[in-house]
């Protein structure tokens, strides 16, 4: 357990979390302060208790609230009691959702989406008539509330290829409290059990049992059916169960939820499942050996059935009469048509259909009439259907011009197609007209897919997807275009995200019919070896007369491994559309010559008022960023790495940079100038705000660079500099050049770290008559600078007139020692004064 905080830290933490309502004129309200102090004492310095209780008191500004709370606290005997108080401040719905988290193993990161699905299945956030999406958002609201109350902690995990999955975790003390509040829970999750709990542990008053994530291999036939008539939830997922006795569920007739998913050895279910007439959720997903499921005819209350990634060869008997189903996952080796099975499932909201890659499965719909009957379907997820060649298009002998049934896909919001090897097209144009609520299109790993939208007979047709927000296309090696017809106009004004990854044949993303995109915020293009242009007037059909709302909301552009691309923006004037752009990241594009091309040799004036970050990485042919005038006053970070042909970073058109904080230039072999008056267009009359916010400069591998700062006076712009690192620049002769030999005081008041390494030609930091005043310097690191003869540090005088090193200086790391011994100093005692701070290491 964490050590208790000292009283002052505990008080500061409580006041930070409780909010402003306890303050008046910057001080704690007098009539609240005594109650607050006594409540803090009850928290006993435990951070979790302090934060949790403080959050529960947020917004309570009347002394009566605090007095009542203190009276409650007087009954508390432990920290758990303090935490329980925060729980009791929640609404009943949030309380139930919080307690449910205790069914997971200790110290387990709970996937948010999985948890919300459980809440929906339990009826904790269910309301008649609500869409699944609405319930999902309500679940996220509850999670945010629990995290904000510090009853849960938010956790983000980074998976392969940058994919992020959001989780929450529950502190051990809070889990202990939740289980104490819930005596009718039997929880032995994640405890490495190899067999079920003993018979006596299955008490008659149990409501929920969680044995998930153990090593249970079988349920012995000799074990009688547990007599748990009140049991509603049984979680046995992620075990190794291979067999379940026929009579196991016989005395658990109140069961509503059974989760047996991820039991890879389970081959069949017992017939006693068929008697569970109150069952609403049966989860068997990823039971890779499951071949047989008993009749479901009696389970008319079933709302969620997951048979995905199983080996069932026939759909369960009675599936077609489960009219309350809202979620259906189908998988296995089925070859039957789905029309008859699905036509009565009018309440279905989520349909997942998959087959194993080696299966002969041929799911098919004989008539398009089936889709008209699934008017509540919100999410369609198709995976590994090798024989599927079209998702939304002509079916069987139905003519292209035949009208589709009224209500077809009228609720569909999400379409995901993954691993369908023979698929060549996702939509025909006319089907898009029925998808007016579609928000997300996700297509991944379809080897023969050539186009997302096909148009054989509707040349020039206009199609609107008014709700589409996200388009993701990944691992589609034959994809040539999003739409086969360049004259088809696709209007999707709500789209916010476009990500295209590893689509080898695609040459352009936007065509004249894909315009404008006023709400697009995020664009990521990765591993597109034949992409020839992104933002191009010809491809986009743009001209200087285009309305200014095009791309107006775009915040982030990322272009990665697009080796045919020579530029990102084809002209400066085009950038006038990108007034919300905050991040530009371009990397691993072998032919990229310039970030922004200019039709005019002098270049146009371009303003990017919100640009904060520019990262250019591994662009071996890049010669320039832009030849014209580029104004980006909000930029905070510039990183240029392995751009060997670039000769200058700042030019007269790139000025001023008022908010730049971080500059990293690495492996820029041909960089010839950095901070240079002529290149920057600066003079002593330039406003002092230029580079005023710059905190860190890092230069590595600039082999043509002979200096960093071209004069001492130039450094007056860099008054916020905290770190200078110059490493591996073989021709660097001086850090700060000067055109005068007169004595010059160079002041960097905030400089804390100066690092000069691997600079064999370095002769001086500044001219021989100058002094470097940096009263905040903490660390000095100089190695392999054998030609450097002088370190021009300013040595202050103490009250006794004795010389002293800068008082903030804590460490000097130098190499080799012989070089240190040979240094020349302005003061004869300087070396002795600095020697105690020295470490002689490379």
């Amino acid at each position: 357990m964490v050590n208790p905080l000292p009283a002052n830290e505990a008080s500061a933490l409580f006041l930070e979390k409780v909010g402003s309502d306890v303050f008046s004129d910057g001080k704690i309200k007098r009539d609240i302060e005594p109650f607050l102090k006594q409540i803090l004492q009850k928290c006993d310095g435990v951070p979790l208790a302090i934060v949790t209780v403080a959050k529960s008191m947020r917004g309570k500004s009347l002394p009566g609230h605090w007095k009542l709370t203190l009276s409650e606290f007087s009954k508390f005997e432990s920290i758990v009691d303090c935490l329980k108080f925060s729980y009791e401040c929640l609404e009943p719905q949030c309380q139930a959702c919080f307690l449910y988290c205790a069914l997971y193993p200790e110290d387990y990161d709970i996937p948010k989406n999985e948890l919300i699905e459980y809440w929906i299945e339990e009826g904790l956030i269910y309301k008649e008539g609500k869409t699944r999406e609405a319930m999902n958002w309500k679940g996220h609201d509850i999670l945010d509330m629990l995290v904000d109350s510090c009853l849960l902690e938010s956790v983000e995990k980074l998976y392969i290829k940058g994919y992020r999955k959001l989780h929450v975790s529950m502190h051990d003390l809070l889990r202990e409290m939740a289980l104490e509040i819930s005596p009718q829970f039997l929880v032995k999750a994640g405890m490495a059990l190899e067999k079920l709990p003993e018979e006596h542990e299955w008490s008659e008053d149990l409501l929920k049992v969680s044995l998930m994530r153990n090593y249970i291999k079988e349920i012995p036939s000799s074990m009688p059916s547990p007599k748990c008539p009140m049991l509603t939830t049984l979680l046995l997922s992620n075990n190794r169960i291979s067999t379940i006795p026929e009579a196991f569920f016989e005395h658990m007739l109140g069961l509503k939820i059974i989760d047996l998913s991820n039991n890879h050895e389970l081959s069949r279910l017992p017939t006693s499942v068929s008697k569970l007439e109150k069952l609403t959720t049966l989860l068997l997903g990823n039971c890779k050996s499951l071949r047989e499921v008993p009749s479901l005819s009696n389970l008319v209350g079933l709302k969620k059935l997951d048979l995905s990634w199983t080996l069932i060869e026939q759909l369960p008997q009675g599936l077609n009469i489960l009219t309350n189903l809202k979620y259906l996952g189908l998988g296995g080796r089925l070859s039957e048509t789905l029309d008859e099975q699905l036509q009565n499932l009018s309440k279905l909201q989520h349909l997942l259909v998959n087959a194993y890659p080696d299966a002969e499965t041929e799911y098919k719909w004989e008539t398009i009439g089936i889709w008209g009957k699934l008017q509540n379907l919100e999410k369609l997820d198709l995976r590994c259907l090798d024989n599927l060649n079209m998702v939304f298009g002509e079916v069987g002998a139905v003519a292209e011009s035949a009208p589709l049934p009224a209500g077809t896909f009228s609720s569909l919001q999400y379409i995901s197609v993954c691993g369908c090897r023979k698929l060549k097209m996702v939509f025909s144009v006319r089907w898009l007209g029925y998808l007016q609520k579609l928000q997300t299109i996700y297509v991944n790993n379809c080897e023969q897919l050539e186009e997302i939208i096909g148009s054989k007979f509707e040349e020039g047709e206009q199609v609107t997807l008014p709700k589409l927000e996200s388009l993701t296309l990944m691992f589609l090696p034959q994809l040539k275009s999003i739409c086969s017809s360049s004259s088809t106009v696709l209007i999707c004004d709500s789209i916010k995200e476009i990500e295209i990854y590893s689509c080898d044949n695609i040459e352009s993303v936007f065509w004249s019919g894909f315009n404008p995109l006023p709400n697009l915020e995020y664009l990521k293009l990765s591993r597109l070896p034949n992409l020839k242009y992104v933002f191009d007037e010809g491809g986009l059909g743009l001209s200087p007369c285009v309305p200014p709302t095009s791309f107006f909301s775009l915040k982030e552009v990322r272009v990665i491994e697009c080796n045919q691309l020579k530029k990102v923006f084809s002209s400066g004037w085009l950038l006038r559309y990108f007034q919300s752009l905050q991040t530009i990241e371009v990397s691993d594009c072998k032919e990229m010559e310039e970030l922004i091309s200019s039709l005019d040799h002098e270049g146009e004036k371009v303003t990017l008022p919100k640009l904060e970050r520019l990262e250019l990485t591994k662009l071996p042919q890049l010669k320039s960023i832009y030849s014209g005038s580029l104004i980006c006053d909000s930029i905070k970070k510039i990183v240029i790495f392995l751009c060997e042909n670039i000769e200058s970073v700042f030019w007269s058109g790139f000025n001023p940079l008022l908010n730049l904080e971080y500059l990293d230039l690495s492996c820029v072999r041909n960089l010839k100038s950095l901070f240079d008056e002529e290149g920057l267009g600066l003079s002593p009359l330039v406003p002092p705000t230029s580079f005023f916010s710059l905190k860190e400069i890092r230069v590595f591998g600039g082999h043509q660079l002979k200096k960093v700062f071209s004069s001492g006076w130039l450094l007056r712009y860099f008054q916020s500099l905290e770190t200078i690192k110059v490493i591996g620049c073989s021709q660097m002769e001086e850090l700060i050049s000067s055109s005068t030999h007169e004595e010059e005081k160079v002041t960097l008041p905030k400089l804390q770290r100066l690092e000069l390494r691997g600079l064999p030609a370095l002769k001086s930091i500044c001219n021989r008559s100058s002094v470097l005043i940096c009263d905040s310097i903490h660390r000095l690191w100089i190695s392999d600078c054998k030609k450097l003869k002088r370190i021009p540090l300013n040595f202050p005088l103490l009250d006794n007139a004795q010389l002293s090193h800068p008082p903030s200086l804590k460490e000097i790391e130098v190499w080799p020692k012989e070089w240190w011994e040979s240094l020349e100093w302005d003061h004869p005692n300087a070396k002795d004064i600095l020697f105690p701070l020295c470490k002689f290491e490379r």
Side-chain angles (χ1 to χ4, degrees), residues 266-269 284 287-294 296 305-317 319 328-336 338 354-356 359 361 363:
L266 185 64
S267 59
R268 61 185 299 275
L269 284 186
L284 298 164
C287 291
K288 296 180 179 179
S289 301
L290 186 67
R291 296 177 181 273
E292 185 180 343
V293 176
L296 304 178
L305 174 63
D306 188 5
L307 298 170
S308 61
W309 305 108
T310 62
L311 288 179
I312 59 170
E313 296 177 352
Q314 288 186 335
L315 291 172
Q317 183 182 345
L319 175 64
L328 177 60
L330 294 175
R333 300 177 181 274
L334 304 171
S335 58
E336 55 198 291
L338 299 180
N354 78 271
Y356 277 103
T361 304
Y363 288 107

Side-chain angles (χ1 to χ4, degrees), residues 482-618:
I482 293 174
C483 183
S484 62
S485 170
S486 60
S487 63
T488 296
V489 178
L490 180 61
I491 300 173
C492 38
D493 289 350
S494 297
I495 199 163
K496 294 181 179 179
E497 298 180 1
I498 296 176
E499 180 171 357
I500 304 178
Y501 181 91
S502 196
C503 299
D504 294 355
N505 276 338
I506 200 163
E507 294 186 2
S508 64
V509 177
F510 305 107
W511 70 100
S512 57
F514 208 155
N515 171 56
L517 298 173
N519 290 295
L520 183 65
E521 295 181 1
Y522 177 82
L523 176 66
K524 183 175 181 180
L525 307 174
S526 302
R527 294 181 63 181
L528 308 178
N530 283 302
L531 185 71
K532 291 182 170 58
Y533 48 83
V534 183
F535 301 108
D536 179 89
E537 299 94 324
L540 287 167
L542 295 177
S543 73
C545 300
V546 169
T549 54
S550 302
F551 300 106
F552 184 77
S553 301
L554 190 61
K555 295 178 180 178
E556 206 166 316
V557 174
R558 297 176 185 269
V559 182
I560 302 165
E561 289 188 60
C562 299
N563 288 329
Q564 294 292 320
L565 203 61
K566 295 191 175 184
K567 58 198 173 190
V568 178
F569 305 97
S570 64
S571 74
W573 71 260
L574 196 59
L575 280 167
R576 70 186 64 180
Y577 295 100
F578 298 84
Q579 295 301 286
S580 297
L581 199 58
Q582 297 175 4
T583 298
I584 299 173
E585 180 183 324
V586 186
S587 68
D588 294 277
C589 298
K590 293 181 180 179
E591 299 297 323
M592 180 73 64
E593 295 178 356
E594 50 193 349
L595 184 67
I596 307 163
S597 176
S598 177
L599 303 177
D600 180 349
H601 289 294
E602 295 183 3
E604 306 94 338
K605 183 176 182 180
V606 173
T607 301
L608 294 174
K610 296 185 179 180
L611 187 67
E612 294 184 358
R613 187 156 64 98
L614 174 64
E615 294 194 18
L616 307 174
T617 304
K618 297 181 183 179

Side-chain angles (χ1 to χ4, degrees), residues 169-217:
S169 64
M170 194 178 206
H171 193 281
D172 294 351
L173 277 176
L174 289 165
R175 186 172 183 271
E176 176 189 329
M177 177 197 76
L179 293 174
E180 185 180 304
I181 292 170
S182 312
Q184 293 173 296
F185 286 13
L186 172 59
V187 181
K188 292 193 173 184
M191 295 177 65
L193 300 182
E194 295 186 359
K195 60 181 182 178
L196 258 60
E198 298 296 329
E199 186 179 348
H200 69 271
E201 296 181 70
W202 296 79
S203 59
E204 291 193 7
D205 63 345
L206 281 179
L207 292 177
K208 300 187 191 301
V209 173
S210 176
L211 303 171
M212 65 168 73
R213 298 192 169 273
N214 281 300
Y215 304 124
I216 300 169
K217 292 184 178 179

Side-chain angles (χ1 to χ4, degrees), residues 332-374:
R333 300 177 181 274
L334 304 171
S335 58
E336 55 198 291
T337 61
L338 299 180
D339 294 50
E340 184 179 342
Q341 298 292 337
L342 298 179
Q343 65 181 347
N344 295 326
L345 308 184
S346 60
K347 294 182 180 179
L348 199 62
Q349 295 175 335
H350 185 158
L351 177 61
L352 164 62
V353 185
N354 78 271
Y356 277 103
D358 62 342
E360 295 296 327
T361 304
E362 187 176 353
Y363 288 107
K364 53 187 176 181
W365 293 276
E366 292 294 343
T367 66
I368 53 178
I370 182 64
W371 295 121
K373 295 178 181 179
L374 298 180

Side-chain angles (χ1 to χ4, degrees), residues 702-719:
H703 292 298
Q704 299 292 320
L705 206 59
K706 295 190 176 183
K707 59 195 173 189
V708 176
F709 304 98
S710 63
S711 73
W713 71 260
L714 196 58
L715 280 169
R716 71 185 64 179
Y717 295 98
F718 297 85
Q719 295 302 286

Side-chain angles (χ1 to χ4, degrees), residues 621-634:
Q621 300 302 320
L622 186 73
K623 297 175 181 176
S624 69
I625 295 172
Y626 180 49
S627 61
S629 177
L630 183 61
I631 299 173
C632 36
D633 290 348
S634 298

